[in-house]
Amino acid sequence: MELSQNEPNPWRESTVIGFTIPEGGQVQLRLYDNTGKLINTIIDRYSIGNNEIEIGRDIISTPGIYLYEVQYKDQIEHKRMIVLD
């Protein structure tokens, strides 16, 4: 699995998190605030290759620095993003 930096970053209205998986399967996206508190989890099945998940202000409403973590099978990768006011 390969996790890309969200684009755009920083963002105001929405951002896209891209990732690539070697075969189709379940992927979990977990979003944490800057204190480490889990604020949202998205679980879905995705196809082989490049995939994207869009995150908007309906999911993250408060400006700040957030960590996102993508898990595919036993692989976990994480990156940070900035949400502007």
Side-chain angles (χ1 to χ4, degrees):
M1 178 191 60
E2 183 179 326
L3 177 60
S4 300
Q5 185 64 51
N6 64 298
E7 292 183 15
N9 188 37
W11 60 277
R12 282 190 170 82
E13 299 301 319
S14 67
T15 192
V16 174
I17 297 171
F19 59 93
T20 304
I21 54 177
E23 55 187 54
Q26 181 175 291
V27 173
Q28 290 187 42
L29 168 68
R30 290 182 286 272
L31 300 164
Y32 299 90
D33 67 14
N34 64 353
T35 68
K37 178 183 172 189
L38 178 65
I39 58 169
N40 201 307
T41 301
I42 297 169
I43 302 171
D44 207 346
R45 295 193 64 77
Y46 294 89
S47 59
I48 185 173
N50 298 324
N51 294 277
E52 295 180 337
I53 300 172
E54 183 173 356
I55 303 296
R57 290 304 260 230
D58 56 328
I59 295 175
I60 299 177
S61 58
T62 306
I65 298 172
Y66 292 84
L67 173 78
Y68 60 95
E69 179 178 87
V70 173
Q71 180 174 354
Y72 168 75
K73 295 187 178 182
D74 62 348
Q75 296 176 302
I76 298 175
E77 292 191 26
H78 62 273
K79 295 194 181 290
R80 295 191 187 281
M81 70 172 123
I82 300 170
V83 180
L84 302 174
D85 199 6

